[in-house]
Amino acid sequence: MTLPPLRTLALSLCLTLPILATSTQANVLPSLSATAATVSQKSQPVSVYFLNGISNTDTQAQTSAIALFNRLKDDNYFAQLIDNRQVSLRTLYNPTDPLLGDIYELDAQAKIQKRALAATKARVDNEHLADIYDAADLAVVRQAIYDEEIYNANQAYRAESYWKIDFIHTAGNRAIDHYNKMAAEVKRSLLAGEKVVVVAHSQGNYVAQGLYGNLAQDPAVRQGLSNNLKIVGVANVSATSPSGLYLTNADDQAVYFFHAVQGGQPMVANFTPRFANGEKLGGVWESKVQKQNDAQNHGFIETYLSARFSEGQDFVPHYPEIIDNPTQNTAQEIAPKSIYSVIVNDVSNSFKRMLG
């Protein structure tokens, strides 16, 4: 069948696999006249948005969103939200541009990020904030300053004049246009009284930081924004994480080799996958099947939603998972220390904190 455009996609969630909705986003979102104050805590709706990285089609982004749902629905707390019929799964589609367009976008985003980081450091130093706040409070203050500076840096980048043949600047402006539209979609959810978690993969983390910066400056939603919106980064190429929640595997070559060489400043890896015999993911022992499917150890489904890193399990060569086949739910997939359980816990705990 022909899949609906992902900017209008909403999935009706239940304990079985989701069915693709054909209604537009305007039909699935609550009325914009509703506010958070008019929605009771018991029935307050929540939304999970998936935000893809580079080189993804609409269909691939949708497939990743469904795969994410299949992991989330095994969490007890998230399953209760589903039982209460208060969960929506949506996508924020980060379009793929031809002729190296995505690579140019990453280059521009890395440059914009450096400007924002430099401006943030200057403010922290000039105002002697390190002398005023302890480490924990300073981290919060620094993030708030960065949210403002990334917004300012993007606005300044858009205002700069450039030659038409400056492909990097053209791509950067295009990327900013993308997440301006995405920020508007998330804003509609927030104004409808929803608690929102955005799960961003790869380049999607730049986009997520940009849209968060937009919303943090928006008078309509900025008050209490951190209590209504959380960002969970996966394979995070960005130097920051708005909610402090991210998962990047140490053997992710796309993040720690290709993007680092390009000039990005990704956050430090916080997951080191190992097989039962102690081999690392990037070792020569890795199966040919895996190298064909995800040679950079970066894929959202192939690596980050995989169960093959479960401790105490024998290594089985990883084949692409059939995400809509319930017979694939083995003991290995539900092991408590798999890489995807970190993502699931971050999403579930985010809703726990926001819903109280």
Side-chain angles (χ1 to χ4, degrees):
M1 70 176 180
T2 301
L3 298 173
L6 291 193
R7 286 182 296 277
T8 62
L9 174 68
L11 302 181
S12 177
L13 302 185
C14 56
L15 290 178
T16 59
L17 289 177
I19 305 299
L20 297 181
T22 58
S23 59
T24 64
Q25 189 173 47
N27 290 331
V28 299
L29 281 174
S31 168
L32 294 185
S33 63
T35 65
T38 63
V39 182
S40 69
Q41 179 173 313
K42 182 178 180 181
S43 62
Q44 186 167 8
V46 302
S47 282
V48 177
Y49 282 91
F50 175 73
L51 206 172
N52 62 284
I54 67 172
S55 301
N56 273 220
T57 64
D58 280 11
T59 302
Q60 288 170 330
Q62 177 178 286
T63 300
S64 294
I66 296 173
L68 174 64
F69 163 71
N70 281 326
R71 294 306 193 195
L72 289 173
K73 69 185 180 65
D74 290 330
D75 177 81
N76 290 334
Y77 182 80
F78 197 81
Q80 292 176 16
L81 298 180
I82 296 172
D83 279 342
N84 293 335
R85 299 287 178 175
Q86 65 187 97
V87 178
S88 293
L89 176 64
R90 300 185 172 97
T91 59
L92 294 168
Y93 181 55
N94 174 30
T96 290
D97 294 304
L99 302 177
L100 299 179
D102 285 357
I103 303 301
Y104 293 140
E105 283 185 7
L106 280 170
D107 197 320
Q109 288 165 324
K111 288 180 170 65
I112 294 169
Q113 175 181 261
K114 286 181 179 179
R115 294 185 189 183
L117 289 171
T120 299
K121 183 179 185 303
R123 286 179 59 178
V124 170
D125 291 345
N126 292 340
E127 299 173 25
H128 304 286
L129 298 182
D131 298 329
I132 301 174
Y133 299 99
D134 61 23
D137 289 339
L138 180 61
V140 175
V141 172
R142 183 185 288 113
Q143 181 63 51
I145 293 174
Y146 182 79
D147 291 338
E148 182 179 343
E149 292 302 335
I150 193 68
Y151 173 81
N152 292 338
N154 280 302
Q155 295 295 99
Y157 194 85
R158 291 282 287 144
E160 290 176 359
S161 59
Y162 61 96
W163 295 102
K164 290 184 178 180
I165 60 173
D166 187 343
F167 299 116
I168 291 177
H169 207 113
T170 300
N173 286 345
R174 184 170 56 235
I176 294 170
D177 288 340
H178 292 333
Y179 69 68
N180 283 344
K181 294 177 182 177
M182 295 181 202
E185 292 190 32
V186 175
K187 179 179 177 178
R188 283 195 289 269
S189 288
L190 295 173
L191 291 178
E194 297 180 4
K195 301 292 187 180
V196 177
V197 172
V198 175
V199 178
H201 177 243
S202 190
Q203 184 196 30
N205 286 278
Y206 276 141
V207 180
Q209 180 64 75
L211 72 85
Y212 194 95
N214 271 18
L215 296 172
Q217 315 310 313
D218 190 329
V221 294
R222 67 186 178 192
Q223 186 173 2
L225 182 63
S226 63
N227 295 322
N228 298 308
L229 171 63
K230 301 290 184 184
I231 308 292
V232 175
V234 179
N236 188 6
V237 297
S238 175
T240 62
S241 176
S243 305
L245 302 170
Y246 77 100
L247 173 70
T248 310
N249 119 59
D251 295 310
D252 190 322
Q253 296 180 33
V255 174
Y256 294 115
F257 178 73
F258 296 105
H259 188 58
V261 168
Q262 190 182 29
Q265 298 173 269
M267 297 179 77
V268 177
N270 56 3
F271 189 94
T272 304
R274 295 184 182 276
F275 298 116
N277 66 352
E279 292 286 344
K280 292 181 63 177
L281 173 62
V284 296
W285 182 72
E286 179 138 37
S287 74
K288 293 181 180 179
V289 173
Q290 167 59 15
K291 288 186 180 298
Q292 291 171 357
N293 292 325
D294 189 17
Q296 297 179 22
N297 307 314
H298 180 70
F300 184 71
I301 294 177
E302 296 89 344
T303 290
Y304 285 93
L305 292 188
S306 173
R308 63 204 166 94
F309 305 127
S310 303
E311 294 184 6
Q313 300 289 336
D314 292 333
F315 172 73
V316 177
H318 176 66
Y319 292 83
E321 295 182 43
I322 309 298
I323 62 173
D324 59 351
N325 187 344
T327 62
Q328 298 297 312
N329 293 328
T330 65
Q332 185 178 8
E333 290 186 353
I334 60 175
K337 293 186 178 180
S338 59
I339 189 170
Y340 73 81
S341 68
V342 179
I343 303 171
V344 170
N345 288 339
D346 281 348
V347 174
S348 182
N349 289 338
S350 291
F351 283 125
K352 285 180 183 177
R353 288 190 289 269
M354 290 191 293
L355 292 172

